[in-house]
Amino acid sequence: MSDERPWWREAVVYQVYPRSFADADGDGQGDLPGLRSRLDHLAGLGVDAIWLSPFYPSPMADGGYDVADHQAIDPRYGTLDDFDALVAEAADRRIRVIVDLVPNHCSAEHPWFRQALAAPPGSPERERFIFRDEPNNWVSKFGGPAWTQVGDGQWYLHLFDAAQPDWNWRHPDVVALFERVLRFWLDRGVAGFRIDVANLLFKQAGLPDVTTAAPDSPWAPAESGLPYENQPELLELYRSWRKILDSYPGDRMTVAEMWFGESAQAGPYLTGDGLSQLFDFRLLPRPWSAAEFRDVVADSHALAARTGGSVPWVLGNHDVPRMVTRYGIDQDLVRRPTADVLLGRVAVDAELGARRARAATLLLLALPGAAYLYQGDELGLPEHLDIPDGERQDPMFERTGRAFIGRDGCRIPLPWSGETAPYGFSPSPVRTWLPQPDGWARLTAAAQHADPDSALNLHRRALAERRRHPALGAGDLTWLEHDDPDVLAFRRDPGFTLVMNFGPRPVPLPAHQAILLASGPLDGGTLPPDTTVWLETRP
Ligand code: NOJ
């Protein structure tokens, strides 16, 4: 691999959801000192970078994706000094820090929105947001209308919660604000930005009504263009941000969150002079099937090859049900929107889900390009399905009239050690901000550290092998056809073969010199159901 290749192209990035990672001050919520105290867990895992979900001052109407001040740390998480120390201590372990940039909307508590509310209709203060005398028919991605009326009769647009007013991206103050924000964090040494809902910022002039059917899940892309998606100005904006990033040393990057359906929607962003990376989330709603997985992988790989762009692989994040649970339910329910809606009410085979999640992880880490891991997936955590309604925090739960169970179940504070909650998450026995389930003692990092067959040790070995093996990381893949339609297999050169068995029957292993890694026990010369193996296959 040439030294000129930017570090992020094949990076493994670990997503930290700060409120649920580790709590140092004992208030039941994670914080930056807690994260600092656990950096050795991440170094031991072998990740290249961490991406931190928002830690900015926020009323927490949407878990911090409602930002009241983009250039500060919420006191619940610590201080800017803590942040600087985090960047330095992570760098000591060769771990870079990516922060979350939320440019589509802010918090209703942002000073500019408060000024807008205090100012009359037609005032310059209101121009920074999207105020109108009449709403159109747009709906919030969290359910309900996308407009809220204020005292003087005007309405403001919010594609998410009413506490998250959308910015007017055609206003120079907004453009200038985010340029300052980029520089503020770049100056503090961040390696890059994850850009929240990066396809939504600009709205079509005139705000025309939506005429297509609404997507059937909050995270599903529309079948055809919506007037608040993928407006042409975005490309120019991201080019201007790229110039800012490139004025700093060390390959600073962006990774865009966009739930695209067709790769044609993603292509224009991947030309190299704007965004660095664009997540491909299309594996998430796919059922457990070799053909379904291959379809996504092939399309995404072709997209990256065609554009020269980087389309990292994702199997989990703070917005979707954990994969151990996703793969443990009736797979007909995984496609949108049934998994979202029914997850709390369907039977889960946790053991099956855990086995498949391990197999899927070995696929993820053997594919060409970058991969993102979500905190807790390295521990094989399941979705917490039994959160009492009164303790749910996700605004989607109430905004959808409780039809959508919300995203709290994948945001449970991590279990670090011990037999009972808070499982070492907090230094003393407090109630964590979301309740942890009973029975997580065997899933703690400490318990898994000691168990050679644990999910944690599987991740460690996979990341170590990925670093060591010359075929992994950068490069291409060649599909290997197999008689059994439940098998997905490919070769990577030099000398690496992956075989993944989605089916109910064991399948024979191809000729190989060595078994590098397997997601579960192998049965003689065969690959059991729901298992992936990495083979050394020199010609
Ligand atoms: C995407 C984020 O990942 C999600 O958590 C958030 O609710 C929305 N964007 C709105 O910011």
Side-chain angles (χ1 to χ4, degrees):
M1 194 168 81
S2 131
D3 287 347
E4 282 150 33
R5 239 176 128 68
W7 65 271
W8 41 264
R9 280 202 164 254
E10 282 83 37
V12 176
V13 181
Y14 179 101
Q15 179 188 356
V16 172
Y17 194 74
R19 205 176 181 186
S20 295
F21 189 77
D23 168 24
D25 66 6
D27 66 354
Q29 308 187 59
D31 45 43
L32 297 183
L35 170 54
R36 286 167 56 197
S37 76
R38 297 287 185 185
L39 280 174
D40 284 336
H41 174 78
L42 302 174
L45 198 54
V47 297
D48 301 297
I50 53 177
W51 145 39
L52 274 80
S53 279
F55 45 67
Y56 312 107
S58 166
M60 294 283 169
D62 179 24
Y65 284 91
D66 47 324
V67 179
D69 179 352
H70 298 81
Q71 295 175 211
I73 307 282
D74 192 294
R76 83 183 70 216
Y77 295 127
T79 62
L80 278 171
D81 286 344
D82 288 323
F83 182 82
D84 294 341
L86 168 69
V87 173
E89 290 165 12
D92 290 343
R93 293 164 176 81
R94 307 174 72 87
I95 295 175
R96 294 173 159 92
V97 176
I98 296 168
V99 297
D100 212 311
L101 188 76
V102 190
N104 178 67
H105 45 265
C106 61
S107 161
E109 297 299 316
H110 191 284
W112 284 5
F113 191 70
R114 294 167 73 114
Q115 289 167 18
L117 287 183
S123 58
E125 288 83 353
R126 289 212 173 168
E127 290 298 310
R128 294 173 176 143
F129 298 90
I130 302 181
F131 279 86
R132 292 289 181 274
D133 293 333
E134 294 293 334
N136 63 14
N137 72 350
W138 296 1
V139 292
S140 157
K141 288 181 177 280
F142 286 170
W147 296 87
T148 291
Q149 195 167 28
V150 301
D152 52 41
Q154 278 209 311
W155 303 73
Y156 67 89
L157 176 71
H158 52 86
L159 289 179
F160 294 90
D161 192 71
Q164 294 167 290
D166 280 40
W167 292 109
N168 171 12
W169 266 95
R170 298 204 174 82
H171 195 296
D173 286 357
V174 176
V175 176
L177 169 67
F178 278 88
E179 290 185 355
R180 284 198 300 279
V181 172
L182 289 175
R183 290 184 196 283
F184 180 84
W185 295 104
L186 289 166
D187 286 338
R188 301 199 100 87
V190 305
F193 301 88
R194 177 265 190 187
I195 306 175
D196 192 64
V197 291
N199 53 338
L200 300 187
L201 280 46
F202 288 91
K203 280 74 187 178
Q204 193 176 319
L207 308 182
D209 275 349
V210 170
T211 52
T212 48
D216 55 8
S217 146
W219 310 115
E223 295 306 329
S224 56
L226 290 166
Y228 46 80
E229 278 188 0
N230 298 319
Q231 298 300 303
E233 293 94 328
L234 279 171
L235 294 171
E236 192 47 48
L237 178 72
Y238 294 140
R239 269 185 220 118
S240 73
W241 287 7
R242 157 87 10 235
K243 290 200 183 93
I244 296 175
L245 267 70
D246 285 348
S247 70
Y248 286 79
D251 287 329
R252 312 291 173 109
M253 52 79 77
T254 51
V255 55
E257 187 217 18
M258 284 187 202
W259 288 74
F260 65 87
E262 302 300 324
S263 58
Q265 291 172 331
Y269 296 102
L270 284 166
T271 53
D273 60 352
L275 300 171
S276 317
Q277 297 187 318
L278 207 154
F279 288 124
D280 194 333
F281 296 121
R282 290 176 298 169
L283 280 174
L284 294 169
R286 293 296 180 119
W288 189 252
S289 140
E292 295 270 357
F293 273 54
R294 177 167 166 171
D295 181 40
V296 173
V297 170
D299 194 62
S300 188
H301 188 54
L303 170 67
R306 192 164 66 242
T307 58
S310 169
V311 197
W313 310 105
V314 184
L315 286 169
N317 65 31
H318 64 294
D319 289 329
V320 296
R322 289 234 184 232
M323 56 174 157
V324 163
T325 305
R326 226 170 47 228
Y327 297 139
I329 61 174
D330 176 351
Q331 290 300 287
D332 287 342
L333 300 176
V334 167
R335 288 184 204 282
R336 63 190 196 221
T338 41
D340 302 339
V341 178
L342 298 175
L343 197 53
R345 303 168 212 155
V346 299
V348 184
D349 182 338
E351 204 238 320
L352 176 67
R355 204 163 57 239
R356 288 175 170 175
R358 293 168 65 107
T361 300
L362 287 200
L363 170 68
L364 184 90
L365 294 173
L367 290 169
Y372 280 64
L373 303 174
Y374 176 47
Q375 73 175 35
D377 280 351
E378 83 279 21
L379 303 177
L381 296 186
E383 186 85 358
H384 183 9
L385 297 171
D386 304 319
I387 303 171
D389 285 355
E391 294 188 53
R392 292 196 179 276
Q393 309 264 339
D394 184 353
M396 300 184 83
F397 183 52
E398 294 298 344
R399 282 193 68 92
T400 56
R402 302 189 164 199
F404 176 76
I405 202 161
R407 300 162 292 171
D408 297 310
C410 66
R411 300 174 177 180
I412 302 300
L414 291 189
W416 290 100
S417 59
E419 298 299 317
T420 54
Y423 300 110
F425 173 77
S426 296
S428 48
V430 290
R431 224 179 144 63
T432 51
W433 74 280
L434 281 172
Q436 297 164 308
D438 295 332
W440 272 16
R442 68 187 173 85
L443 293 173
T444 64
Q448 297 202 33
H449 185 75
D451 172 4
D453 295 328
S454 65
L456 177 59
N457 280 317
L458 178 72
H459 278 77
R460 284 195 185 130
R461 282 199 296 274
L463 285 168
E465 188 61 29
R466 181 180 161 104
R467 256 196 314 277
R468 184 197 71 80
H469 201 292
L472 294 178
D476 209 348
L477 67 73
T478 308
W479 294 107
L480 301 174
E481 300 309 329
H482 202 281
D483 295 341
D484 188 331
D486 286 328
V487 172
L488 181 150
F490 56 76
R491 208 184 64 226
R492 300 204 52 196
D493 292 327
F496 177 95
T497 296
L498 173 143
V499 188
M500 182 170 180
N501 182 5
F502 287 81
R505 295 168 301 275
V507 294
L509 291 178
H512 56 273
Q513 286 82 40
I515 291 167
L516 299 170
L517 195 56
S519 65
L522 297 183
D523 197 2
T526 63
L527 182 64
D530 304 308
T531 306
T532 300
V533 68
W534 289 4
L535 301 171
E536 183 72 31
T537 47
R538 287 182 299 271

